[in-house]
Coordinates of all heavy atoms in Angstrom, one line a residue:
P1 N -28.0 15.9 -4.6 CA -27.3 16.5 -5.7 C -26.3 15.4 -6.3 O -25.9 14.5 -5.7 CB -26.5 17.6 -5.1 CG -26.5 17.3 -3.6 CD -27.7 16.5 -3.3
V2 N -26.0 15.6 -7.6 CA -25.1 14.7 -8.3 C -23.7 15.0 -7.8 O -23.2 16.2 -7.8 CB -25.1 15.0 -9.8 CG1 -24.1 14.2 -10.5 CG2 -26.5 14.7 -10.4
P3 N -23.0 14.0 -7.3 CA -21.6 14.2 -6.9 C -20.7 14.6 -8.0 O -20.9 14.1 -9.2 CB -21.2 12.8 -6.3 CG -22.4 12.1 -6.1 CD -23.4 12.6 -7.1
T4 N -19.8 15.5 -7.8 CA -18.9 16.1 -8.8 C -17.5 16.2 -8.4 O -17.2 16.2 -7.2 CB -19.4 17.4 -9.3 OG1 -19.3 18.4 -8.2 CG2 -20.8 17.4 -9.9
L5 N -16.6 16.3 -9.3 CA -15.2 16.7 -9.1 C -14.9 18.0 -9.9 O -15.4 18.1 -11.0 CB -14.2 15.6 -9.5 CG -14.0 14.5 -8.5 CD1 -13.1 13.4 -9.2 CD2 -13.3 15.0 -7.3
A6 N -14.0 18.8 -9.3 CA -13.6 20.0 -10.0 C -12.6 19.6 -11.1 O -12.0 18.5 -11.1 CB -12.9 21.0 -9.1
V7 N -12.6 20.4 -12.2 CA -11.6 20.2 -13.3 C -10.6 21.3 -13.2 O -10.9 22.5 -13.2 CB -12.4 20.2 -14.6 CG1 -11.4 20.0 -15.8 CG2 -13.4 19.2 -14.7
A8 N -9.3 20.9 -13.1 CA -8.2 21.8 -13.0 C -8.2 22.8 -14.2 O -8.2 22.4 -15.3 CB -6.9 21.1 -12.9
G9 N -8.1 24.1 -13.9 CA -8.0 25.1 -14.9 C -9.2 25.3 -15.7 O -9.2 26.0 -16.8
R10 N -10.4 24.8 -15.3 CA -11.6 24.9 -16.1 C -12.7 25.4 -15.1 O -12.8 25.0 -14.0 CB -12.1 23.6 -16.7 CG -11.0 22.9 -17.5 CD -10.8 23.6 -18.9 NE -10.2 22.7 -19.8 CZ -8.9 22.5 -19.9 NH1 -8.1 23.0 -19.0 NH2 -8.3 21.7 -20.8
D11 N -13.6 26.2 -15.7 CA -14.8 26.6 -14.9 C -15.9 25.5 -15.2 O -16.9 25.8 -15.8 CB -15.3 28.0 -15.3 CG -16.5 28.4 -14.5 OD1 -16.7 27.9 -13.4 OD2 -17.2 29.3 -15.0
A12 N -15.6 24.3 -14.7 CA -16.5 23.2 -15.0 C -16.4 22.1 -13.9 O -15.3 22.1 -13.2 CB -16.2 22.6 -16.4
V13 N -17.4 21.3 -13.8 CA -17.3 20.2 -12.9 C -17.6 18.9 -13.6 O -18.3 18.9 -14.6 CB -18.2 20.3 -11.7 CG1 -17.8 21.5 -10.8 CG2 -19.7 20.5 -12.1
F14 N -17.1 17.8 -13.1 CA -17.2 16.5 -13.8 C -18.3 15.7 -12.9 O -18.0 15.4 -11.8 CB -15.9 15.8 -13.7 CG -15.9 14.4 -14.4 CD1 -15.6 14.2 -15.7 CD2 -16.1 13.2 -13.6 CE1 -15.5 12.9 -16.3 CE2 -16.1 12.0 -14.1 CZ -15.8 11.8 -15.5
P15 N -19.4 15.3 -13.5 CA -20.4 14.6 -12.8 C -20.0 13.1 -12.7 O -19.6 12.5 -13.6 CB -21.7 14.7 -13.6 CG -21.2 14.9 -15.0 CD -19.8 15.6 -14.9
I16 N -20.1 12.6 -11.4 CA -19.7 11.2 -11.2 C -20.8 10.2 -11.3 O -21.9 10.4 -10.7 CB -19.0 11.1 -9.8 CG1 -17.9 12.1 -9.7 CG2 -18.5 9.7 -9.5 CD1 -17.3 12.3 -8.3
H17 N -20.6 9.2 -12.1 CA -21.6 8.1 -12.2 C -21.4 7.0 -11.3 O -22.2 6.7 -10.4 CB -21.6 7.6 -13.7 CG -22.6 6.5 -13.9 ND1 -22.2 5.2 -14.2 CD2 -23.9 6.4 -13.9 CE1 -23.2 4.4 -14.4 NE2 -24.3 5.1 -14.2
R18 N -20.2 6.3 -11.4 CA -19.9 5.2 -10.5 C -18.4 5.3 -10.2 O -17.6 6.0 -10.9 CB -20.1 3.8 -11.1 CG -21.5 3.5 -11.3 CD -21.7 2.1 -12.0 NE -23.1 1.7 -12.1 CZ -23.5 0.7 -12.9 NH1 -22.6 -0.1 -13.5 NH2 -24.8 0.4 -13.0
I19 N -18.0 4.7 -9.1 CA -16.6 4.6 -8.7 C -16.2 3.1 -8.7 O -16.7 2.3 -7.9 CB -16.3 5.2 -7.4 CG1 -16.6 6.7 -7.4 CG2 -14.8 5.1 -7.0 CD1 -16.5 7.4 -6.0
Y20 N -15.2 2.7 -9.5 CA -14.7 1.4 -9.5 C -13.3 1.4 -9.0 O -12.5 2.4 -9.2 CB -14.6 0.8 -10.9 CG -15.9 0.6 -11.6 CD1 -16.4 1.6 -12.5 CD2 -16.7 -0.5 -11.4 CE1 -17.6 1.5 -13.2 CE2 -18.0 -0.6 -12.1 CZ -18.4 0.4 -13.0 OH -19.6 0.2 -13.6
C21 N -12.9 0.4 -8.2 CA -11.5 0.3 -7.7 C -10.9 -1.0 -8.1 O -11.5 -2.0 -8.0 CB -11.5 0.5 -6.2 SG -12.3 2.0 -5.5
V22 N -9.6 -0.9 -8.5 CA -8.9 -2.1 -8.9 C -8.1 -2.6 -7.7 O -7.3 -1.9 -7.1 CB -7.9 -1.8 -10.1 CG1 -7.3 -3.1 -10.6 CG2 -8.6 -1.2 -11.2
G23 N -8.3 -3.9 -7.3 CA -7.6 -4.4 -6.2 C -6.2 -5.0 -6.5 O -6.0 -5.6 -7.5
R24 N -5.3 -4.7 -5.6 CA -3.9 -5.2 -5.7 C -3.3 -5.1 -7.0 O -2.9 -6.1 -7.6 CB -3.9 -6.7 -5.2 CG -4.3 -6.8 -3.7 CD -4.1 -8.2 -3.2 NE -5.0 -9.2 -3.7 CZ -6.1 -9.6 -3.1 NH1 -6.5 -9.0 -1.9 NH2 -6.9 -10.5 -3.6
N25 N -3.2 -3.9 -7.6 CA -2.7 -3.7 -8.9 C -1.2 -3.3 -9.0 O -0.7 -3.1 -10.1 CB -3.6 -2.6 -9.7 CG -3.4 -2.7 -11.2 OD1 -3.1 -3.7 -11.7 ND2 -3.4 -1.5 -11.8
F26 N -0.6 -3.2 -7.8 CA 0.9 -3.0 -7.8 C 1.4 -4.3 -7.2 O 1.0 -4.8 -6.1 CB 1.3 -1.8 -6.9 CG 1.2 -0.5 -7.6 CD1 -0.1 0.1 -7.9 CD2 2.3 0.2 -8.0 CE1 -0.2 1.3 -8.6 CE2 2.2 1.5 -8.6 CZ 1.0 2.0 -8.9

């Protein structure tokens, strides 16, 4: 199944394509 995230206050889900992470940004 397509990974998803819930959307606050909505009857909807957000389908996830990729996850990028920024290193040492603080």
Side-chain angles (χ1 to χ4, degrees):
V2 175
T4 62
L5 276 176
V7 179
R10 306 286 198 280
D11 184 19
V13 292
F14 181 91
I16 301 169
H17 177 246
R18 290 179 180 169
I19 301 175
Y20 299 96
C21 302
V22 186
R24 297 191 288 266
N25 197 33
F26 280 71

